[in-house]
Amino acid sequence: MQMLYNSENFAVVEFQVPAAPPQAGEEGPALTRGGYEIVDKFKRKEIYLEGALAESFKQGVEALIEGSPTVEDIDAYIERFTSLMQQPVVLH
């Protein structure tokens, strides 16, 4: 787990799950798992992105970073994903 971004509006954490070694008889490299958790601090909602959506998020962030973005630019990009957020943030 690694904090990638933390602003007044959003927090983004990357989760990396190491791949299991290939089992006997399996071909090719083992698939890795992981994703990104995005938290909207004001709406107190979150989403976990994995698979193709996580890859799309990663590529969008990488493209954004190439242009030296401001905090507002990054927040605007992350805000695109807020409509998908259904899970309320719960503290234990």
Side-chain angles (χ1 to χ4, degrees):
M1 181 170 86
Q2 179 179 355
M3 176 73 74
L4 297 180
Y5 181 73
N6 190 17
S7 71
E8 290 183 14
N9 302 313
F10 299 103
V12 179
V13 177
E14 179 182 28
F15 290 90
Q16 296 176 345
V17 180
Q23 300 296 320
E26 290 183 356
E27 294 182 22
L31 296 175
T32 59
R33 293 184 42 220
Y36 303 93
E37 181 180 45
I38 303 171
V39 175
D40 184 326
K41 294 178 180 180
F42 289 111
K43 292 182 181 176
R44 298 182 50 100
K45 293 200 177 218
E46 65 181 328
I47 187 169
Y48 182 76
L49 306 177
E50 62 184 348
L53 191 54
E55 187 61 32
S56 174
F57 177 78
K58 178 182 174 183
Q59 290 172 358
V61 169
E62 288 172 350
L64 185 64
I65 290 174
E66 289 178 5
S68 300
T70 64
V71 171
E72 291 78 18
D73 294 334
I74 297 171
D75 279 0
Y77 176 74
I78 294 172
E79 191 172 6
R80 297 178 187 178
F81 295 87
T82 59
S83 64
L84 302 173
M85 294 180 180
Q86 302 297 319
Q87 184 68 31
V89 174
V90 179
L91 301 174
H92 298 276

